[in-house]
Amino acid sequence: MPNFVQKLLVQRSHLLTAACYRSFHQAVSHYRPSGPPKLSPYDVNCILRANEHTQDFAGGSVKCYDSNQLASNSPIEDSRTEGTCVHTSGLLLGIFDGHGGPACSQVISKRLMRYVAASLVPPDDLKVHILNGAQSHSFINCHNDKLEFVSEIKDIYERSFNLFANELLDTTLAGFQMHQVLENAFLRLDQDLSKEAVEHPSLRTMSVAMSGAVALVAHIDGPHLHISSVGDCSAVLGTVTDTGQWIAKKLTNEHNSDNVGEVRRLLNEHPATERDTVIRGERLLGQLAPLRAMGDFRYKWSREQLEQLVVPQFGEQVIAPYYLTPPYLSACPEITHHILTPRDKFLILASDGLWDTMSPMQTVHLVGEHMHGKAFLQPLKLPKHEITLGEISQMLSTRKAGLQKKPLDRNAATHLIRNSLGGTDYGVEHSKLSHMLSLPQDIVRLFRDDITITVVYFDSEYLRNCPT
């Protein structure tokens, strides 16, 4: 390995500022190994497609979605959940990017969707479901869910959910506000994570409490799209103009030190004497990059709680320097409401592993091209009405020209990951992609982060005719 990479590896072992990390990423991304590629195209495809999923829908504003993820950390710290609300008509999709381990990300990816789904059920109906013994998982039908909680903590989580659901019975439909529902679900789950670790201290509950995760949740019901976000995952809407040009509309803001409004909010919540210590080196208390997150109670609990519950198990270093007036970290989401139109073609939800290497406009162009090119992956179908040989010849000529533009991947999320890691000004370069996918586990995190993506396609005809 070249000396400059070795030096950068030493530098990266310390807590870097965001600016340093960007410079580091730019430097190492140009590094190429000597010799032939380590992975064949077949190997590359197997790796990229191992976790992809596609779900189709009949009716409604969503036609389908593609999702995929690629690990950098071992185990991966990203999580994703997509599910249809059982008792209401909405679709929920979430991206969760963990830090300090995968525990918090894995837990909230399942539980948060259940909290939101139950909150959308009218109180009278919810009461019937509870009386009939409904459990948390019965409120949402997940489409790509392969894991379940172990019995040790499942009962704890169910008790917390039942308390939450019973409190929802006191709400009234007249006062229903989607913003309030989403905010309440985020904050209540975060409170429950804290309460569970305090009242049922164990390796599992404390691992969730000491790790953290940023969260991005989309709720789609007819033309109504709500985006809730804490942290630095991003949602981008792909919209086409009258002239066929793509527009990338970002629906989220990153909650980090690059966000002036977010920094101002945080400083206003603490005494002026802490102005120079709340954010140091572009990080919260000099340690954490996101300024909003779920979990991470080492930045939320009082010093007394940390000394009593955490220090005996994790040591004094768990308390950050200048820890004077907690909480320093918020789980309150920023919420955006957008009314979908026929011009809105797709929504991209992704963890920051994608945005480290690609801009919103680049992703929209790639998905837009993929959306048009994917049509040529389907078998040619002749119309049912009578057709002339000349028309057939024209169809074949058009298809032949289009086949040159057909994408390698059917799944748009896979297409984005492929271009994110192997893209150049001249297309995807196999040697670059092979290199990025064959990096040793002990250094791969220095070159790329976990990447999790969900691409949601909208039904233009439905949106054209549905009432708002």
Side-chain angles (χ1 to χ4, degrees):
M1 182 180 294
N3 290 333
F4 88 91
V5 176
Q6 293 177 340
K7 292 178 181 178
L8 286 170
L9 296 184
V10 173
Q11 181 189 22
R12 185 66 184 98
S13 66
H14 303 285
L15 288 174
L16 297 185
T17 65
C20 287
Y21 182 74
R22 284 193 290 270
S23 299
F24 169 82
H25 188 275
Q26 291 170 359
V28 297
S29 64
H30 289 94
Y31 167 64
R32 295 288 185 277
S34 58
K38 298 179 181 179
L39 299 174
S40 69
Y42 174 82
D43 295 330
V44 165
N45 290 340
C46 288
I47 294 172
L48 291 180
R49 297 170 182 170
N51 298 306
E52 66 181 12
H53 177 78
T54 295
Q55 189 74 34
D56 297 313
F57 299 95
S61 57
V62 175
K63 290 196 296 186
C64 64
Y65 71 78
D66 291 337
S67 68
N68 199 355
Q69 62 182 175
L70 179 72
S72 169
N73 295 290
S74 181
I76 187 171
E77 293 183 340
D78 280 8
S79 296
R80 57 179 172 167
T81 299
E82 310 95 31
T84 303
C85 297
V86 173
H87 303 296
T88 56
S89 55
L91 175 68
L92 284 165
L93 309 106
I95 302 286
F96 307 88
D97 185 352
H99 47 262
C104 185
S105 169
Q106 291 174 352
V107 167
I108 67 172
S109 69
K110 297 173 73 69
R111 297 182 68 188
L112 183 56
M113 308 306 240
R114 299 174 181 183
Y115 276 50
V116 173
S119 301
L120 298 173
V121 179
D124 289 344
D125 295 341
L126 181 60
K127 183 175 183 179
V128 173
H129 295 311
I130 293 175
L131 290 174
N132 289 334
Q135 293 188 309
S136 62
H137 64 82
S138 65
F139 287 88
I140 185 165
N141 177 28
C142 292
H143 301 298
N144 186 33
D145 190 5
K146 302 179 177 66
L147 301 173
E148 186 50 86
F149 296 127
V150 296
S151 57
E152 177 186 341
I153 57 173
K154 184 176 180 179
D155 291 342
I156 296 174
Y157 292 165
E158 281 301 314
R159 285 196 293 272
S160 294
F161 177 83
N162 285 335
L163 286 173
F164 171 66
N166 276 283
E167 291 176 16
L168 290 175
L169 299 180
D170 296 330
T171 62
T172 60
L173 276 179
F176 177 86
Q177 294 289 336
M178 191 66 186
H179 282 66
Q180 185 177 349
V181 164
L182 293 168
E183 180 178 310
N184 184 50
F186 271 73
L187 292 174
R188 178 53 183 266
L189 176 57
D190 200 57
Q191 293 169 11
D192 284 348
L193 295 177
S194 172
K195 184 179 179 181
E196 290 155 3
V198 172
E199 296 183 354
H200 307 279
S202 69
L203 179 60
R204 295 187 186 277
T205 57
M206 289 301 293
S207 66
V208 174
M210 289 300 100
S211 61
V214 299
L216 173 65
V217 173
H219 178 265
I220 307 170
D221 189 357
H224 295 281
L225 167 64
H226 286 85
I227 301 289
S228 307
S229 174
V230 291
D232 53 9
C233 294
S234 294
V236 174
L237 192 65
T239 302
V240 69
T241 67
D242 287 336
T243 58
Q245 302 298 310
W246 286 107
I247 297 174
K249 181 176 182 180
K250 197 170 179 188
L251 301 178
T252 50
N253 296 305
E254 287 81 26
H255 301 130
N256 55 31
S257 60
D258 292 332
N259 184 331
V260 176
E262 188 68 7
V263 171
R264 187 179 296 116
R265 174 195 67 80
L266 186 59
L267 292 177
N268 288 339
E269 292 175 355
H270 298 276
T273 53
E274 294 185 66
R275 190 171 187 85
D276 296 328
T277 58
V278 171
I279 297 178
R280 294 186 300 123
E282 300 186 3
R283 290 172 178 256
L284 181 69
L285 298 176
Q287 296 183 345
L288 190 67
L291 303 183
R292 298 193 202 190
M294 302 189 73
D296 282 319
F297 294 105
R298 58 180 296 198
Y299 304 108
K300 298 175 181 176
W301 285 342
S302 67
R303 177 177 282 272
E304 290 72 24
Q305 282 180 296
L306 291 177
E307 290 175 344
Q308 179 182 354
L309 297 171
V310 184
V311 169
Q313 190 170 355
F314 296 92
E316 289 285 347
Q317 69 276 7
V318 77
I319 303 179
Y322 306 103
Y323 196 80
L324 304 173
T325 56
Y328 289 92
L329 192 63
S330 172
C332 185
E334 187 171 1
I335 300 168
T336 301
H337 177 217
H338 176 81
I339 297 179
L340 297 167
T341 73
R343 299 192 187 284
D344 299 322
K345 302 302 179 182
F346 52 80
L347 174 70
I348 303 170
L349 309 172
S351 60
D352 66 341
L354 176 68
W355 310 114
D356 284 342
T357 60
M358 304 188 81
S359 70
M361 195 68 246
Q362 286 176 308
T363 62
V364 166
H365 274 299
L366 282 168
V367 174
E369 292 170 357
H370 181 270
M371 184 175 68
H372 292 305
K374 192 165 62 171
F376 295 101
L377 294 173
Q378 306 298 325
L380 176 63
K381 293 183 179 180
L382 295 176
K384 294 181 180 180
H385 60 78
E386 293 185 2
I387 185 171
T388 66
L389 289 175
E391 290 172 329
I392 293 176
S393 177
Q394 181 61 43
M395 290 177 62
L396 292 174
S397 297
T398 302
R399 184 172 178 82
K400 182 177 180 181
L403 286 173
Q404 298 175 3
K405 300 179 181 180
K406 72 175 183 179
L408 187 59
D409 303 295
R410 291 181 179 271
N411 186 296
T414 307
H415 181 67
L416 285 176
I417 295 175
R418 185 185 297 274
N419 280 271
S420 171
L421 300 183
T424 69
D425 292 339
Y426 309 100
V428 176
E429 180 184 303
H430 174 70
S431 61
K432 180 181 178 183
L433 187 55
S434 171
H435 164 59
M436 294 298 284
L437 292 176
S438 57
L439 290 166
Q441 187 59 52
D442 57 344
I443 66 168
V444 62
R445 181 61 183 85
L446 307 176
F447 286 77
R448 59 180 177 86
D449 197 358
D450 298 330
I451 301 175
T452 301
I453 305 169
T454 299
V455 180
V456 187
Y457 291 97
F458 301 116
D459 188 324
S460 298
E461 283 303 311
Y462 177 92
L463 293 172
R464 187 172 289 111
N465 298 309
C466 74
T468 57

